[in-house]
Amino acid sequence: MAENKTQAPLLTEIEKHSAVWQKITKHLEERLSSLRARNDNDLDERRTARLRGRLVEIKHLLALDQPRPQTDADDS
């Protein structure tokens, strides 16, 4: 399966401090905690992989308010 290499949009300073983003962040953090607890259970390999994929997606969403690290390509 091909991986999408486009970068996710970053939130503006106003968006980062909005009530909506705060609600979304709280929900995602609670969901992340819940999924991590489930991952600690003895799951089969397929369920573990699926759960880990969900964890990664939540982490990507939560990172929308974080600055992207600068790379050498950004300097050109």
Side-chain angles (χ1 to χ4, degrees):
M1 182 169 5
E3 187 176 332
N4 186 355
K5 295 290 184 183
T6 60
Q7 291 186 342
L10 289 179
L11 298 178
T12 66
E13 286 302 314
I14 292 172
E15 292 168 336
K16 289 179 190 181
H17 300 289
S18 72
V20 172
W21 180 245
Q22 299 306 315
K23 285 181 182 181
I24 290 170
T25 299
K26 183 179 180 204
H27 171 75
L28 290 173
E29 288 171 347
E30 289 171 356
R31 187 77 178 125
L32 191 61
S33 178
S34 172
L35 291 173
R36 282 180 173 153
R38 283 181 52 196
N39 194 37
D40 290 341
N41 294 331
D42 192 22
L43 301 175
D44 64 41
E45 188 175 320
R46 185 175 176 184
R47 286 186 175 154
T48 299
R50 188 170 143 198
L51 192 60
R52 287 181 180 166
R54 293 166 79 180
L55 290 166
V56 168
E57 285 304 312
I58 290 173
K59 289 177 184 179
H60 283 287
L61 290 170
L62 285 169
L64 290 176
D65 65 356
Q66 302 298 313
R68 288 191 191 104
Q70 187 171 0
T71 65
D72 292 338
D74 294 337
D75 293 335
S76 23

